[in-house]
Amino acid sequence: MKRQNLKVVLIGALLFFTVNSLTAADKKKNQPAPPAPAVTLFNVIDFGAKGDGKTLDSPSINKAIEEAATKGGGTVYFPAGTYLSVSIRLKSNISLYIDQGATILAASTSDGYKYDPPEPNVWGDSLQYQDFGHSHWHNSLIWGENLQNISILGPGVIWGKGLVRGTNNAPEGSGNKSIALKWCRNVIIRDVSILMGGWFGILATGVDNLTLDNLKIDTNRDGMDIDCCVNVRVSNCFVNSPQDDGICLKSCYGLGVARATENVTITNCQVSGYEAGSLLDGTYKRDEKRAAGGGPTGRIKFGTESNGGFKNITISNCVFDYCRGLALESVDGALLEDVTITNITMRDIVNAPIFLRLGERMRGPKDAAVGEIRRVMISNITVYNADPKNGVIICGDQGHDIKDIRLSNIRIYYKGGGTAEQAAREVPGFEKEYPEPARFGTLPSYAFFIRYVDGIQLNNIEVSFKENDFRPAFYLDDVKNAEFILVKAQKSAGVPYMSVKNVTNLSIFRSLDIIDRKIEKAENDKL
């Protein structure tokens, strides 16, 4: 029996025994047996695919998908082999199953192959609110639009070898995403590995009821972008992306409306910034030149595109290794609220371990108001060997405070090495610029920089450094209603624990070896 037909036989046998067991039971009840279900497995080999890595197999794959769709749906099956492909067009009620030993290989335009062209977007040719990658979906290795009940499953590999990372000098007919979905619902992507995914390994825009589970993504730009999506579960995923973000929530204007990303859980995941390809091959290589030049990315982030907002989101039980820290950003008018983050460990973090940024880049319609960040709870965080330039940054916008932030049970070990001159540095606002911790430069505090915040509580926080640091642990500027409870901080001799400017209603309880006190107003003080 041919190997590629084995799964058809196994599934057929399973259905046969299931139906016959039902038949026997129904006979005892003198009831008619239900009709035997049809086997709905469509092997791409049966539709002409070669799987030899040389023959272009996407026409045969699309033929199998079309046939399955005409039968009401089913599973399009990829047995072991390498399937050279350009655009694969998904249909409703279809699963792609990529078996162990099977690889879908993205063809290169340099070999004369062409992907589906980028479809027109709602703004015509204008990219005024988001970049090219967020404006088109069809120019991808696997894409679907206005679909329901679709899955991409199996332990095989999607290798975006022939995909491009951007638009600069990209040849005509290029593809730039491994998987792109727009306006879909009831979607499952599970167990597959993505190697070198192009601009995005997964771009899901306006996709509701989305499950991403047990994925391994090892790529040279964004791992997964979850954009304007509702009801999302991301679990058990490894995402390695040294040159861009790992797991990224966005809410751009690519759909023509400001739609929030909401009701999201991210759990049991690992993000990293090893050299691309070294997660899947198990070498976990680190590029020290990249670390010296700003470091790898590879983080979990909300933003940068942030028009529609982020609501009702929880992140838990995740690991960050050799990458940037957690980032929550609203800079295009988004309302970011009701976020809970807990049980996170980080090692070798190359910028701010935690970054909350409210700004006014405002890349969106001119009548949009500046956004808000409120009701964020972050707890049970351990960080080791964090970069000395940027501590935790929680920074609003002048006249637009970040509100109601709770930080608890956090332990951060910094590298240290800050100087007294750095402690005296004045930090510009950067409200209209791209939000990134590096924009702030080396901060005047080594642990926490807090500016334009109304309502923040730090409870059971401990920070320290490995090399002597002559900056205070905390810098508060234009902050209202701050509470420090059971906060500990290492400090060098002669250096204050805290520098405060224009602070109102600051409470300190059993913290920083300072007598408990409540400060109604402090214009410029050292504690």
Side-chain angles (χ1 to χ4, degrees):
M1 181 181 296
K2 290 185 178 180
R3 183 179 177 183
Q4 60 263 29
N5 291 325
L6 177 59
K7 186 153 290 195
V8 176
V9 173
L10 291 175
I11 291 178
L14 177 61
L15 292 172
F16 174 81
F17 286 118
T18 301
V19 171
N20 276 279
S21 63
L22 290 172
T23 301
D26 290 334
K27 284 179 179 178
K28 291 180 180 179
K29 298 177 183 178
N30 295 318
Q31 294 179 357
V39 175
T40 55
L41 203 68
F42 300 83
N43 192 323
V44 296
I45 298 296
D46 296 335
F47 290 83
K50 300 301 182 184
D52 58 9
K54 300 176 182 178
T55 306
L56 188 69
D57 284 330
S58 43
S60 300
I61 296 167
N62 285 319
K63 189 185 300 181
I65 292 172
E66 291 284 353
E67 179 67 17
T70 63
K71 299 291 178 60
T75 297
V76 174
Y77 173 60
F78 294 77
T82 300
Y83 300 88
L84 186 68
S85 299
V86 287
S87 295
I88 297 171
R89 307 174 193 106
L90 292 172
K91 301 288 184 182
S92 292
N93 305 311
I94 297 295
S95 292
L96 303 185
Y97 189 91
I98 309 167
D99 210 344
Q100 197 73 266
T103 298
I104 299 177
L105 174 62
S108 174
T109 51
S110 63
D111 295 324
Y113 300 113
K114 294 188 181 299
Y115 291 79
D116 288 350
E119 75 282 17
N121 64 42
V122 293
W123 310 110
D125 293 330
S126 172
L127 302 178
Q128 57 184 323
Y129 300 149
Q130 65 283 318
D131 59 29
F132 182 85
H134 283 290
S135 302
H136 307 281
W137 292 261
H138 294 189
N139 54 330
S140 304
L141 178 58
I142 302 171
W143 68 266
E145 181 176 357
N146 293 314
L147 305 179
Q148 60 182 341
N149 309 327
I150 56 176
S151 303
I152 301 173
L153 311 170
V157 176
I158 298 170
W159 183 7
K161 183 179 181 181
L163 300 176
V164 298
R165 297 181 65 251
T167 55
N168 293 339
N169 302 317
E172 184 180 356
S174 296
N176 63 14
K177 294 170 282 286
S178 291
I179 301 171
L181 302 172
K182 176 184 179 184
W183 285 129
C184 297
R185 69 179 186 273
N186 306 334
V187 175
I188 302 171
I189 305 176
R190 176 176 286 137
D191 297 336
V192 298
S193 297
I194 299 175
L195 175 62
M196 302 302 182
W199 197 324
F200 304 104
I202 298 172
L203 175 62
T205 310
V207 177
D208 296 351
N209 307 335
L210 170 64
T211 297
L212 305 174
D213 180 51
N214 195 34
L215 305 177
K216 291 183 284 292
I217 302 177
D218 195 350
T219 189
N220 52 358
R221 279 206 70 178
D222 278 13
M224 59 175 75
D225 274 29
I226 299 162
D227 192 2
C228 304
C229 298
V230 178
N231 298 338
V232 178
R233 295 181 298 174
V234 181
S235 58
N236 310 311
C237 294
F238 296 87
V239 184
N240 182 59
S241 51
Q243 298 178 51
D244 222 318
D245 299 309
I247 299 173
C248 194
L249 306 184
K250 295 184 177 180
S251 57
C252 79
Y253 250 99
L255 298 172
V257 294
R259 191 175 197 253
T261 289
E262 56 185 316
N263 303 342
V264 179
T265 62
I266 301 172
T267 189
N268 300 340
C269 293
Q270 178 175 316
V271 291
S272 58
Y274 316 130
E275 280 299 282
S278 69
L279 172 73
L280 288 179
D281 71 13
T283 58
Y284 315 118
K285 295 176 182 176
R286 300 186 177 196
D287 185 344
E288 298 307 324
K289 291 182 180 180
R290 184 183 302 281
T297 312
R299 62 191 162 190
I300 298 176
K301 183 175 84 167
F302 297 24
T304 300
E305 283 71 24
S306 49
N307 302 99
F310 309 94
K311 304 174 186 177
N312 205 26
I313 296 168
T314 180
I315 302 172
S316 63
N317 305 336
C318 291
V319 172
F320 292 57
D321 188 29
Y322 187 60
C323 61
R324 299 184 189 182
L326 177 75
L328 281 67
E329 304 167 355
S330 170
V331 295
D332 298 321
L335 174 60
L336 191 159
E337 64 178 0
D338 301 323
V339 175
T340 300
I341 300 169
T342 189
N343 297 349
I344 308 293
T345 65
M346 305 184 187
R347 290 180 67 89
D348 301 335
I349 299 304
V350 300
N351 68 1
I354 301 170
F355 181 57
L356 272 67
R357 179 57 162 146
L358 175 61
E360 49 180 304
R361 181 181 69 166
M362 306 310 292
R363 193 166 72 172
K366 296 186 182 300
D367 59 351
V370 174
E372 295 185 50
I373 297 178
R374 62 195 186 198
R375 298 194 300 275
V376 177
M377 299 181 65
I378 302 176
S379 65
N380 302 331
I381 311 294
T382 299
V383 183
Y384 178 74
N385 203 34
D387 188 84
K389 295 186 294 296
N390 306 127
V392 172
I393 300 174
I394 303 173
C395 186
D397 186 10
Q398 188 169 20
H400 303 277
D401 291 339
I402 293 175
K403 299 177 181 178
D404 198 3
I405 306 300
R406 299 289 183 267
L407 307 173
S408 63
N409 303 329
I410 296 175
R411 182 73 174 94
I412 307 177
Y413 297 80
Y414 289 96
K415 292 181 180 179
T419 67
E421 290 77 15
Q422 291 167 347
R425 178 174 174 262
E426 294 290 332
V427 181
F430 304 114
E431 292 92 349
K432 298 183 184 297
E433 295 191 18
Y434 185 93
E436 185 63 40
R439 302 269 176 168
F440 288 77
T442 300
L443 294 173
S445 54
Y446 78 81
F448 279 77
F449 178 89
I450 304 172
R451 173 187 275 172
Y452 302 133
V453 175
D454 184 357
I456 183 169
Q457 183 185 90
L458 285 76
N459 189 345
N460 193 22
I461 309 293
E462 185 173 353
V463 295
S464 61
F465 45 74
K466 295 193 292 183
E467 183 181 341
N468 225 14
D469 202 302
F470 292 93
R471 298 170 294 174
F474 298 91
Y475 183 98
L476 276 65
D477 181 9
D478 211 320
V479 174
K480 311 176 191 70
N481 304 312
E483 295 179 274
F484 283 64
I485 304 169
L486 298 172
V487 175
K488 298 179 181 180
Q490 184 179 0
K491 76 179 188 69
S492 299
V495 177
Y497 285 108
M498 184 184 302
S499 176
V500 296
K501 296 174 62 177
N502 193 27
V503 170
T504 303
N505 195 19
L506 168 63
S507 298
I508 299 174
F509 176 72
R510 297 181 63 184
S511 296
L512 304 176
D513 291 331
I514 297 173
I515 297 174
D516 293 354
R517 66 184 67 183
K518 183 172 182 178
I519 300 172
E520 298 292 341
K521 183 72 175 178
E523 295 292 340
N524 195 341
D525 204 354
K526 311 289 184 183
L527 302 177

